[in-house]
Amino acid sequence: MTNDKKLKIGGIVIGLLFFCFFAFVALQNGQYNKKLRKEGIKTKAQVIAKDKLVTNKGKTKERYLTLAVFEDTTAIVQPKEKINPKDAKNIDDKIDAIFDNLNTSASKPIGNYTTITITVPSEEYNSANMNDFVDFVYLKDEIKKGKLYSMID
């Protein structure tokens, strides 16, 4: 057997191994998504940070969302509705409305939550805004492996 034939056969074998590996990973991911749909716990998560990993040439390599995941959904405290100071009836209500609107801690998560950073595609990254609540799905005792509900096939 010549060296050219050995290289071709070796290349074909390596190509088949790569194909099998990627097919196995895709199958595992599909089964995990199926398990998330059936047995997953769906809860609300608040977006507390957005990040990008950028290459030296300025291209975005990966996008990350940092979420505050509330395992106990009864602990979610929604921020208060902001009041327009012009709608207040007396001076005390106007001053209270101004200070309520200045209070930035009202938009931060309150209660028992777990901070999780996940990789997301560009559509999810662009549609998520700071302090928005998104649906998050995870399996019991595997909260770090959870995904956004919209990312499950």
Side-chain angles (χ1 to χ4, degrees):
M1 204 184 266
T2 64
N3 285 339
D4 286 342
K5 285 190 177 188
K6 288 181 184 177
L7 285 175
K8 285 181 184 178
I9 292 173
I12 290 171
V13 169
I14 289 173
L16 284 173
L17 286 174
F18 273 121
F19 175 77
C20 289
F21 173 75
F22 288 118
F24 177 75
V25 169
L27 183 64
Q28 290 290 84
N29 191 23
Q31 287 185 345
Y32 187 72
N33 284 348
K34 192 178 202 181
K35 192 173 183 180
L36 274 177
R37 267 187 258 117
K38 285 185 179 179
E39 303 169 20
I41 300 167
K42 185 176 175 184
T43 185
K44 292 287 186 184
Q46 187 175 9
V47 179
I48 56 176
K50 292 172 72 171
D51 249 344
K52 289 183 189 179
L53 179 62
V54 181
T55 63
N56 291 341
K57 295 181 180 179
K59 291 185 179 180
T60 303
K61 190 173 182 181
E62 289 188 0
R63 293 161 185 85
Y64 301 99
L65 289 179
T66 303
L67 305 172
V69 179
F70 297 92
E71 295 182 62
D72 178 14
T73 55
T74 59
I76 299 174
V77 177
Q78 297 285 347
K80 290 193 296 185
E81 185 78 26
K82 296 201 178 206
I83 302 167
N84 188 351
K86 293 178 182 176
D87 295 339
K89 294 180 177 125
N90 59 33
I91 190 69
D92 292 332
D93 291 341
K94 287 183 182 183
I95 292 172
D96 288 343
I98 289 171
F99 281 111
D100 284 345
N101 291 343
L102 291 177
N103 187 3
T104 57
S105 65
S107 62
K108 293 193 173 141
I110 300 170
N112 295 330
Y113 64 90
T114 304
T115 304
I116 296 173
T117 302
I118 58 171
T119 306
V120 293
S122 62
E123 306 88 45
E124 296 294 331
Y125 181 84
N126 293 335
S127 67
N129 295 320
M130 297 292 288
N131 299 320
D132 280 356
F133 283 92
V134 294
D135 292 326
F136 186 78
V137 181
Y138 65 95
L139 294 175
K140 186 173 184 172
D141 300 327
E142 293 185 3
I143 195 164
K144 297 281 184 188
K145 292 183 179 180
K147 295 183 177 185
L148 291 179
Y149 186 71
S150 58
M151 290 176 48
I152 299 175
D153 303 325

